[in-house]
Structure formats: structure tokens, C-alpha cells
Amino acid sequence: MDVTATLGAAALVTALAASVLATLASTVGHLRRQRALLAAGRRGIDAVAALTTVAVAALLYALVTNDFAIAHVSSVSSRNMQTAMKWASLYSGQPGSLLFWTWTLSLFLAAFTRITVPRIPWAAPHAVATAGVILAAFLAGLVFLASPFRLNEVPPLDGRGLNPLLVDPGMLIHPPFLLAGLVSTAVPFTLGTAALLSGRLDGAWVRHARGWALASFLVLSIGNLLGAWWAYTVLGWGGYWGWDPVENSAILPLLPMTAFLHTLLVQERRGMLKTWNLVLVLAAFALAVFGTFNVRSGLVASVHSFAQSEVGAYFLALLAITIVVSVALIVWRVPRLHAEADLDALASRETALILNSYLFVAIALVILGGTLFPVLSELVRDVRVTVGPPFFNAVIAPLLVLLLVLIAAGTVLPWRGGSSRQHARRLRVPALVFAATAALVGALGMHEPLALAATSAAATIGYVTAREVAVGARGLRAARAVSWPAALLGLLERDPRRYGGFLVHLGVAIIAVAVVGSMGYQQQTRARIAPGESFEAGGYTFRYVDLVARRPGVNGIEVEGLTIIDVERDGRRVATLRPGRRFFSNFPEQPIAIVAVDSDLRRDVYLFVQGWDAQKRAEIQVFINPLVAWLWIGGGVYTLGGLLAFGAVGRREPVRALDAAPGAASAGGPA
Amino acid sequence: MTRPPVRACALAALAFGALLAVALASARGVEAQTPSTPSPAPTAAPPRIPTDAEALAVEHQLLCPLCVNERLDICTLAICNDMKQIVRARLAQGASTEEIIAYFEERYGPHIRAEVPRRGFNLVLFGWVGGALAFTAAAAAVVLTSMRRATLSRARGFSGAPSEDPALDTLIETAEREEFGAPSNGRAGDGGGR
């Protein structure tokens, strides 16, 4: 008997029992009004978190101690793997990633049960029961269909090792963020479902959901950014976003979640969009389940879908149940979901936020359609087609440009609108900034209308954001007689959500410019040269010095072939890069690229070797990618903004909540 | 709720639709431009060595037949290296990009095309895109219309609530007044419409 495997499997079975008990106790406790049962339900969720943690610890222990009796361990790890890399083995492969997913889910839901459930007595049993059902669904899959603790009949002497694509330090952080991001959509979903079940559908659930939605948005965003970075530095195709089905699955839940973060403002302040907000959180979770199903089942085969599985049908059923139950709940509660206010003016912040959320949904629908169309084509006509970057870029790019314009417009337009004279005054300078930027970059040689519009919209976002901050800071300065820096900090302290949000917008604008630059102005050159020879590309000279072999002797790497290439410009050496290829002992058919990048604020020089012959004559690809560094800088600004916005969570209820007096602000008077 | 001002809402819907249309029209522009480099080789030209840029332009429109979503120019499988040789040979013979793609399509199937052709069953995909955009635009228009309050006549003043802090709101309001001038009719902080 393998003690570790028995312990882990026992922990999972017990966790499944605990999750079912949590649901039953909450339901019965609610119906019979028994407090003890309700408390037991909450403890049940804690127990699930503790037990799945035990299971994860058991699997980690098995990985570290090379317990190849366990099938998962022998399929994703080997003796010469570095201990740190074994962390990536934990969540690679079917059962491992499902365990990691369920573990993260249990941690999120346990935190939710401890932090938020005590504050929502009106829906506490409903929330705990929902959490229990979600946990039970995933634990059942884990226990009955894809147990990570299955044993090999004959334990091998050594494992197969990690999939070559995953042998990369980036794999230590990217998948955990992404999986946690997908999982985190469960908390707003649980709150929304609990609100629907309990029947209390005013702003309360939204107030409690916003912190969790922000967390989910942030973790998902970081996961996607890290994914882009990983794709750029590991996959070796010169880009960071390939509209791969798995990438699409990862970004899909982020779209309704982002829309929800914006429309919840409208519900908080105006009591509008109640149904819509529920639809958004339910859709975000359904899309997260879809993403898991898509990746796990290998339905839409892709570079990521190395996990071919038996759990496909199960997840499809879960997805169907999620959608049917969500729709049914909303239809059931529609009579209670009427708005408390009407729209005052079309040209208002509310309108911009509503249009923005519809745009996010449109983008999500288009991406979903493009992701699923190959499946449809194969089912209906038995013809495989590929829906890839040309389609998505053509269809999504204009929608993203529209989104940028809406960000700028939404920042300028006031809540509840105003007179048209006022609008004119507010819009005059931003419009000028837009036109001036368009003229400037047009004169510099950018003629593609979408690129021009995106760049100009980004500049306008920069301007209107700076103006909003400056106006606020000026007000604070005038009232408190403080310095500019103190005023800026004061703004952030007083309303972290607003000013953190602005910073996120700024990050988006920077990312937009980086995308325009790197996608629209990428140069690609290919050369076959021998050591000692050189070639020119993008104004640089690439001198191929030599081909060397390196044997790190860890992580299943047999040998790495590295070309040494001097990059020169105007006779001066800029960098020495070492792109190459990495070969694995257990995956001889799957060598991977070692990408070498020299990055500065203007451009990346990105080198990638396709192969070489016996005379060391190598085929080298060069990409000159403008502005890619700004993608990561923009990502940093975006993340910082998201983190700062957390300052608002839990510190104070929103002042202008639905139940607060709407005229309160005027009562304050100038200090 | 009183009668919605149909005209204003129709205008808003139209504006949103027009934006979408402009965006989509310009999307076609991008697509026409994306194969940034050369036009297909002249058909009757004598055999010549195609440039790397010409070969890359064709390879960008082809995918590896074995991998999924892997562009031909990037893929390092043996089959792809063979395909690249064929691309060069065909270009040298004067074949056009479309002829070369059609040749590979016949050999390996339609999934080697990087771009989904806009014909036949594939139009379902484009119909979905158009439908999704039309649906969301229409839904937005309907929602805005039904929420729109008829009391347009009353001019409104400053923003309802820029921030979450009443004191900060007041300060911002004062600063905004300096920036954008006085409102025509005071601030609309009365919570009307409840």
C-alpha cells in the first residue's frame, strides 16, 4: 500500500463528503431554522479546504520524494527534475490541474465563507449551500474520474518527466494565476446565486461581490498577462497572443467580469441593471467552467491541450447544468428585478458604462463563436477548419478600438448627464487631443485607420485620465492647502476604487499602443548561415559566431544547442544573444525553442533558431518587434491600478449606496 | 415611467451602430493590408529565386498540418520544412499565393489555411459575428430606451457623484466648476426618478 496515495485519496473522498454535508446542513438548517446546522454547514466548507490542502500536500510530497507508484507522479515528473520545477508538475496533466483547480476553489470559497458569509445573514445558508454544490461537483470529478492518486500496476524506476513546453520558470507562476483566476469567478457567482435564491436582490449582494469581483478580475488579468509573456518568451513565434483556443478560454471569463466591475457602479449608485449584473457574474463562472472543459477535454485541440481526457463529458454536463440553473434562477426572479431609477440622460456616464458592458459581451460572444466554430464545422460537415489570428484580429480589433473610445468618453461624461453646453466644454479638449494625435502619428507614417484610431484613443485616455486626476487634486489642494503630491495621495486614499480604476485605464492605453506597434510594425527576416557569416535585418547586423552545446543535466533536458550571435548596429555591438533549441531525453520528437530577446523601450530584437545541419549551418529567424516592452510596462501599471483599487475593499461601505441619501454630497458644502 | 423619447434613443442606437459599422469596415481594410509584402509572383516570369520575404508572405497564410494553430513559417517539423521547400519551388515556377494555398489545401485539408475562407458553411461563423454584434447593439438600444426617462426638458447640472466620498465630491465639483464653467441649472442631486 502506498501511504501517500491512500492519505491523499482518503482526504479527497472525505472532502467530497464534507461538501455534500455542507450543502445538506445549510439547506436543512435554513428550512428548520436551526442555527447549529447552519454553523455546521460553514464548518463543512472549512473542512473541504483543509482536506484538499492535505491532498495537495500529499501529492507534492509524492512528487518531491519521487513516489513513482503514483501514476500522476510518474507521468509528469522524473528523478532528475529540480525540486522547484516539481511545483509545476503538481498542476500539469489532467488530474493534477483538476486537483489544483479544486484546491484553489476550496480556498476561495472558505475565505468567502469566513469573510463575507457572516455579513450576509439574509443569504448565508444559500451561499454556503451553493458553495458546497460547486465543490462537490468538482470533487466528484476528482474522486471518480480523474484521481491524481491512481497507482501504477508496476511502479516504473523513473518517471517520464514534465512536458517540454512546461519546463520553464514561467510555468511556476503563470498556471497558478490563471487557474486561480478562473476559479475565483466562483465567488461572485455564489453571491449572485445566493441573492437569487434568497430573493433579496437590491444592491447588497453587489456591495459584497465587488471586492471578490475585483480580485477575480485582477488574478485573471495577471494570469493572462503572464500567459502572454510565457508565449512570447517560450513558444518562439515572435508574438504574445495567438488566439489559441486555450488563450481564448482564459480571456473569456475576464470579459463579463470586467463588465460587471463597471456596471456594478451603476447598480450601486442608481439601482439600475440588476438583472444584467446577475447575468454577468453567472456568465463569468459559466465561461470559466467552459474554459476548464475546453482545456481538459481537448475538445478544441491546441498546443495547450496535451491533456486528452475522460472527463470531457462530465464537464460538458456540469456546464449545461450551470447554464440551465442560472437561466432558470434569473427567469424565476425577474419580477423582483425592476430598476429603481431611470436613465436621466443619454449622454451620461451610465450610458457609457452600459454600452461598455454590452461591448464586452459582444467581444465575448465573437471569441466564443470563433473558438467553437471548428467544432461545429467538424460535427456538421466533418471538415476541419482553423479559426486563428487573421479572423480574430480582423473582427476583434475594431471592437477593441471602440472600447478604447468608450473608456475615454466614459471618463469625460458625468454621471446623470448634463447640459449639452457642458458636454461641449468637457469634450472639446479631449477631441482636440484625439485629432492632434491622429494628425501627428499620421504625419509620422501611420496610415492604417484602426491603428490611427487606437493610438489616438489611447492618447485621449491618457489625457482625460490626467485631467480627472488633476481636477480632483486641485480641489483637494484648494480645500486643504496641501502640496500636489499630498493631494494626489489624498485622492487615492479617499477613493481608491476611482483612482485605481483610472490607473488600470492608463495601463490599457499603454498596452493598446504596444499592441499597435508590435503587431502593425513587426519585421521578420530569415537567414541560413554558417558560423562566421552574418546577415542584416531591420538595421542590425547579426554575426553568427558559433554553435555550442550545453548539458544542464536536469529537468529531463538531454542537451541544449545554442547559437552565439553578435548583434551590431552601425559597427557597434548591441548585444550577444544565444537562441537555440532544447532537446529532451524522454520527448525526442518534441524539441523546443530557446528564444533570445534583447529588449529596450523602443523595440525587441527577438531571435529564434529553427535548426541546423551537420556543418552548423543554422536557420535563424529575426523579429524586430517595436514597443513590446511597453506591453509589460502597461501590464504593470494595470496591475498596480487593480491592487490600489483594493484599498476600497472592506474599509468602508460605499457612501452613495442605494440606501444612502442621494443628496448627501451637496450637504457637505465646500470646506 | 413615461413615454420614452423615441427619437433620442433611436439616435443613440444609430450612433452605436454606425460606430460598429465604421469599425467593421476598417477591419476589412486591415485584412486587405495584412499580407504586408508582395503580390503573387508574376505568372509568366522566367524561373527565378523567390526572396525570403515572398516565401514568408505565403507561409504566413499556411499552417502546420500536424500541429494546431502553428504557422508554417514558425513550425520546425520535417513536414513543414518540406512544405517550405515546395512553397519556394512553386514561387520559382511563378505560382500565385492562392494557387500554392489551394495545392496544400487539396493535400492536407482546409485546416492548413490560416484564414477561414468566407464562403460556404464558414459563412455561419461570419453570420454569428454579425448576429452577435447586431444582437448586442439592439439589446443596448432597447435597454437604454426602456431606461431612458422622459424628463429631458429639465436641464441637469454637474455629475451626480464622481467619487465615493461626499467631501471629495464637493471638492471635485468646485474644481470642475472652475474647469468647465457654471452649470445651467444647479446640480441634479435630488435623486429624481426613484
Side-chain angles (χ1 to χ4, degrees), chain A residues 226-266:
Chain A
L226 288 172
W229 177 68
W230 173 77
Y232 186 66
T233 53
V234 174
L235 292 183
W237 58 280
Y240 40 81
W241 189 264
W243 295 110
D244 177 270
V246 174
E247 285 169 328
N248 296 348
S249 305
I251 197 125
L252 273 172
L254 181 59
L255 300 170
M257 197 53 87
T258 314
F260 173 65
L261 274 182
H262 290 88
T263 49
L264 71 81
L265 293 169
V266 183

Side-chain angles (χ1 to χ4, degrees), chain A residues 522-534:
Chain A
Q522 183 182 57
Q523 298 175 49
Q524 183 182 9
T525 314
R526 193 162 54 187
R528 278 184 80 84
I529 56 172
E533 295 177 352
S534 63

Side-chain angles (χ1 to χ4, degrees), chain A residues 239-461:
Chain A
Y240 40 81
W241 189 264
W243 295 110
D244 177 270
V246 174
E247 285 169 328
N248 296 348
S249 305
I251 197 125
L252 273 172
L254 181 59
L255 300 170
M257 197 53 87
T258 314
F260 173 65
L261 274 182
H262 290 88
T263 49
L264 71 81
L265 293 169
V266 183
Q267 180 166 354
E268 276 181 359
R269 290 175 191 208
R270 311 295 321 278
M272 301 189 291
L273 302 182
K274 291 177 175 174
T275 315
W276 187 237
N277 279 330
L278 285 163
V279 169
L280 289 174
V281 291
L282 301 187
F285 181 66
L287 286 171
V289 174
F290 166 75
T292 313
F293 157 67
N294 191 6
V295 180
R296 292 301 128 235
S297 67
L299 168 75
V300 186
S302 79
V303 285
H304 293 64
S305 292
F306 39 83
Q308 300 289 324
S309 80
E310 62 268 37
V311 299
Y314 181 73
F315 274 111
L316 190 59
L318 275 190
L319 182 61
I321 293 171
T322 309
I323 294 171
V324 169
V325 170
S326 301
V327 172
L329 278 174
I330 289 181
V331 170
W332 175 46
R333 288 301 191 187
V334 154
R336 295 195 191 195
L337 285 166
H338 49 82
E340 292 162 30
D342 298 321
L343 202 59
D344 286 307
L346 275 181
S348 64
R349 176 79 52 91
E350 294 93 312
T351 308
L353 289 170
I354 291 168
L355 287 181
N356 148 305
S357 79
Y358 276 91
L359 192 54
F360 271 116
V361 170
I363 293 173
L365 286 174
V366 170
I367 296 180
L368 191 64
T371 309
L372 284 177
F373 182 74
V375 183
L376 184 72
S377 176
E378 213 165 346
L379 281 177
V380 174
R381 293 196 308 154
D382 202 19
V383 171
R384 270 178 73 197
V385 293
T386 307
V387 180
F391 167 80
F392 285 108
N393 289 343
V395 178
I396 300 291
L399 297 176
L400 293 180
V401 171
L402 196 57
L403 191 63
L404 291 175
V405 172
L406 272 178
I407 292 179
T411 311
V412 175
L413 290 172
W415 285 97
R416 313 190 63 186
S419 71
S420 40
R421 235 185 73 215
Q422 236 189 305
H423 285 329
R425 293 183 88 108
R426 283 173 169 272
L427 288 168
R428 200 167 50 199
V429 186
L432 268 175
V433 170
F434 188 96
T437 315
L440 182 70
V441 291
L444 289 174
M446 190 189 279
H447 298 304
E448 209 282 295
L450 271 181
L452 269 177
T455 315
S456 311
T460 314
I461 293 173

Side-chain angles (χ1 to χ4, degrees), chain A residues 60 63-64 66 77-78 81-90:
Chain A
L60 266 180
L63 282 163
V64 171
N66 295 320
S77 180
S78 63
M81 289 231 336
Q82 287 167 312
T83 310
M85 255 350 266
K86 287 179 176 171
W87 168 249
S89 302
L90 175 67

Side-chain angles (χ1 to χ4, degrees), chain B residues 41-64:
Chain B
T43 21
R48 60 185 188 87
I49 302 169
T51 65
D52 248 330
E54 284 171 328
L56 278 174
V58 179
E59 289 171 25
H60 280 177
Q61 301 188 45
L62 288 165
L63 301 174
C64 166

Side-chain angles (χ1 to χ4, degrees), chain A residues 74-268:
Chain A
S74 67
S75 68
V76 295
S77 180
S78 63
R79 285 188 194 282
N80 83 343
M81 289 231 336
Q82 287 167 312
T83 310
M85 255 350 266
K86 287 179 176 171
W87 168 249
S89 302
L90 175 67
Y91 44 76
S92 73
Q94 178 81 267
S97 60
L98 198 54
L99 174 62
F100 192 86
W101 159 283
T102 311
W103 176 50
T104 330
L105 179 69
S106 69
L107 294 184
F108 266 105
L109 289 176
F112 165 73
T113 309
R114 295 209 151 239
I115 297 169
T116 306
V117 167
R119 297 185 195 171
I120 49 165
W122 40 272
H126 312 82
V128 174
T130 309
V133 169
I134 300 173
L135 284 167
F138 283 95
L139 282 164
L142 207 49
V143 167
F144 298 115
L145 296 171
S147 171
F149 296 104
R150 248 176 230 169
L151 297 178
N152 283 315
E153 285 189 12
V154 182
L157 291 176
D158 198 356
R160 184 147 183 260
L162 199 54
N163 184 304
L165 274 178
L166 308 185
V167 181
D168 178 83
M171 272 297 127
L172 299 176
I173 48 169
H174 155 54
F177 266 101
L178 204 50
L179 289 170
L182 289 173
V183 160
S184 62
T185 57
V187 179
F189 172 85
T190 305
L191 260 169
T193 310
L196 280 166
L197 286 170
S198 73
R200 179 165 171 189
L201 292 159
D202 58 4
W205 79 269
V206 170
R207 274 202 295 286
H208 290 287
R210 59 184 216 178
W212 295 104
L214 180 60
S216 181
F217 160 83
L218 194 58
V219 178
L220 264 174
S221 301
I222 295 174
N224 275 290
L225 282 165
L226 288 172
W229 177 68
W230 173 77
Y232 186 66
T233 53
V234 174
L235 292 183
W237 58 280
Y240 40 81
W241 189 264
W243 295 110
D244 177 270
V246 174
E247 285 169 328
N248 296 348
S249 305
I251 197 125
L252 273 172
L254 181 59
L255 300 170
M257 197 53 87
T258 314
F260 173 65
L261 274 182
H262 290 88
T263 49
L264 71 81
L265 293 169
V266 183
Q267 180 166 354
E268 276 181 359

Side-chain angles (χ1 to χ4, degrees), chain A residues 481-495:
Chain A
V482 289
S483 64
W484 277 107
L488 289 175
L489 278 181
L491 284 182
L492 196 58
E493 191 195 278
R494 287 185 156 268
D495 195 347

Side-chain angles (χ1 to χ4, degrees), chain B:
Chain B
M1 191 194 308
T2 38
R3 194 172 58 85
V6 177
R7 225 179 53 187
C9 299
L11 274 177
L14 264 179
F16 191 59
L19 272 171
L20 279 177
V22 168
L24 278 179
S26 47
R28 283 233 292 286
V30 190
E31 199 192 323
Q33 284 191 5
T34 15
S36 51
T37 0
S39 46
T43 21
R48 60 185 188 87
I49 302 169
T51 65
D52 248 330
E54 284 171 328
L56 278 174
V58 179
E59 289 171 25
H60 280 177
Q61 301 188 45
L62 288 165
L63 301 174
C64 166
L66 298 181
C67 311
V68 175
N69 279 7
E70 179 111 338
R71 246 167 41 198
L72 179 62
D73 61 308
I74 302 302
C75 190
T76 53
L77 293 184
I79 185 174
C80 289
N81 288 331
D82 290 347
M83 281 174 74
K84 289 178 208 168
Q85 293 306 318
I86 295 172
V87 168
R88 285 175 171 277
R90 296 238 142 192
L91 278 176
Q93 289 162 13
S96 73
T97 308
E98 195 42 51
E99 283 164 6
I100 299 175
I101 295 174
Y103 167 77
F104 285 117
E105 183 172 2
E106 200 173 311
R107 257 178 109 167
Y108 299 112
H111 67 283
I112 52 94
R113 273 183 189 271
E115 176 152 21
V116 188
R118 300 189 178 191
R119 56 167 187 263
F121 184 73
N122 295 341
L123 289 177
V124 171
L125 174 61
F126 295 90
W128 167 267
V129 171
L133 295 183
F135 172 75
T136 42
V142 167
V143 165
L144 286 176
T145 311
S146 65
M147 292 197 319
R148 177 77 174 88
R149 198 175 54 178
T151 53
L152 261 182
S153 51
R154 197 163 57 90
R156 263 156 296 273
F158 281 113
S159 44
S163 82
E164 297 181 358
D165 184 328
L168 183 60
D169 281 357
T170 317
L171 298 179
I172 291 178
E173 201 185 309
T174 316
E176 281 195 342
R177 187 169 289 135
E178 284 169 21
E179 182 86 22
F180 305 116
S184 43
N185 194 17
R187 79 178 267 126
D190 59 329
R194 303 229 156 179

